[in-house]
Amino acid sequence: MAINSFTDYTVPAEIAGFRLDKAISTLTKVPRSTALALVSAGALVDGTVQPTKYHVRLGQVISLPDLIVTAEVLQTVPGLEIVYEDEYCLIVDKPAGVIVHPARHFAEPSLAGFARTVSSDPDTLRPGIVHRLDRGTSGLVIIAKTEAAKLQLQKLFSSRAVNKTYYALVHGAPKEATALLEWPIGRHPKRPTQRTVRPDGKPSATRYSAAEYLPGYTLLELQPETGRTHQIRVHLAKLGHPVVGDTVYGVGRPTLGLDRLFLHAGQIEFASPGGVQIKAVAALPQQLVTLLAAIRDGHV
């Protein structure tokens, strides 16, 4: 990672007194985790490095580093496959283990790093990124090639005009073969990186249907109708059937040798900014296909 310049922000009255990380998050509208990473990367307040707990004052200038990832990182995202491309966007099949955008991992290959090579979006941290998948999830991600396309695609997501289909192997067999899960999701009160079902959470809806019943497990096809962080994983854990390989929301359950989630974004359908109806499909990764075969054959 290298820094080639800084972008300055003047502290307005409405955020005077905020902690440095919260001030950065409010000014730039990036997640708090990204703001923390920017502090660690060398953010300045009136030209001086300050700790995260520093409280900013009215009129101070916060200088945020413009982070440049090395060319090797930009161009090397192991296993990345482009499944669709036009002048407005492209769709990639993200392997499990690859992050979508950096938080504390700027020197690690990411889709945001790759997107810098294909998108003119001026967003320093997440150029062209309109949605995300967890590190342990594989499958389809849309990358906008321009800022205008990014804004249009973000509107499609917010209006629920993007249809997504996921496949998940879960422990046990849900009582109902098909159902709509509508539990509100919010941040976990004790573990801020996790989410949980809570009455004051954001409305969340996940539709599922059983695609195949296997000994001890069920392969589900899911259509999330909202896009909350960890939504599918939280809803399935609440149902009592967590995703295989989920060591966060399925603590104590066997992982069946997986170092990832058995969760795959296999299909996405939407209207391109160019007005074309796009339907992209990504097959299950071979690792997951092999595991399914072993379960069917009674070898697991």
Side-chain angles (χ1 to χ4, degrees):
M1 179 186 70
I3 299 172
N4 72 337
S5 63
F6 287 82
T7 300
D8 293 337
Y9 298 84
T10 301
V11 176
E14 56 266 28
I15 69 167
F18 282 17
R19 278 171 46 119
L20 181 55
D21 58 332
K22 184 178 180 182
I24 291 172
S25 178
T26 303
L27 283 169
T28 62
K29 303 190 186 313
V30 299
R32 188 71 72 87
S33 59
T34 302
L36 286 167
L38 285 167
V39 174
S40 299
L44 305 174
V45 180
D46 286 345
T48 302
V49 173
Q50 297 290 354
T52 303
K53 63 183 180 180
Y54 178 84
H55 291 267
V56 301
R57 300 190 300 275
L58 175 65
Q60 286 187 308
V61 175
I62 300 175
S63 302
L64 300 183
D66 297 327
L67 300 170
I68 303 300
V69 183
T70 65
E72 290 78 11
V73 171
L74 279 177
Q75 298 169 10
T76 306
V77 180
L80 186 68
E81 180 183 355
I82 297 174
V83 299
Y84 174 84
E85 183 172 6
D86 62 23
E87 62 183 300
Y88 303 99
C89 67
L90 54 81
I91 304 173
V92 298
D93 186 358
K94 182 190 84 70
V98 173
I99 56 175
V100 171
H101 58 78
R104 297 181 178 87
H105 310 284
F106 286 108
E108 181 180 351
S110 69
L111 284 195
F114 166 77
R116 287 187 178 90
T117 68
V118 297
S119 178
S120 62
D121 177 20
D123 185 331
T124 302
L125 296 175
R126 295 182 287 182
I129 303 297
V130 295
H131 67 121
R132 63 182 294 275
L133 295 178
D134 294 335
R135 178 195 289 271
T137 302
S138 56
L140 299 170
V141 179
I142 304 169
I143 297 174
K145 287 189 170 182
T146 66
E147 184 178 19
K150 179 180 178 181
L151 292 173
Q152 188 166 341
L153 287 165
Q154 286 175 331
K155 289 179 181 178
L156 289 180
F157 274 93
S158 63
S159 63
R160 303 186 187 182
V162 179
N163 298 316
K164 296 170 288 181
T165 300
Y166 289 73
Y167 297 93
L169 186 69
V170 300
H171 294 275
K175 292 180 181 179
E176 298 180 352
T178 63
L180 177 63
L181 309 179
E182 294 184 284
W183 290 307
I185 293 176
R187 195 178 295 274
H188 195 288
K190 295 182 179 179
R191 296 185 287 276
T193 61
Q194 297 180 27
R195 301 297 186 271
T196 189
V197 170
R198 50 188 298 171
D200 61 346
K202 295 180 179 179
S204 308
T206 305
R207 191 176 300 276
Y208 79 81
S209 60
E212 183 179 0
Y213 291 102
L214 299 158
Y217 304 92
T218 305
L219 181 65
L220 298 180
E221 181 178 294
L222 305 110
Q223 287 82 36
E225 297 185 359
T226 52
R228 311 303 178 200
T229 299
H230 298 176
Q231 177 177 310
I232 290 176
R233 298 164 62 190
V234 171
H235 275 174
L236 291 178
K238 174 67 174 178
L239 188 65
H241 302 281
V243 175
V244 171
D246 194 339
T247 57
V248 175
Y249 299 107
V251 176
R253 302 287 189 124
T255 64
L256 306 187
L258 291 180
D259 57 357
R260 53 157 296 166
L261 302 168
F262 197 122
L263 183 60
H264 177 70
Q267 183 173 300
I268 195 163
E269 188 171 3
F270 63 100
S272 164
V276 177
Q277 191 68 22
I278 297 170
K279 182 177 181 179
V281 176
L284 277 179
Q286 187 58 49
Q287 181 186 19
L288 304 187
V289 172
T290 300
L291 177 58
L292 287 176
I295 296 173
R296 293 185 188 110
D297 293 340
H299 297 154
V300 173

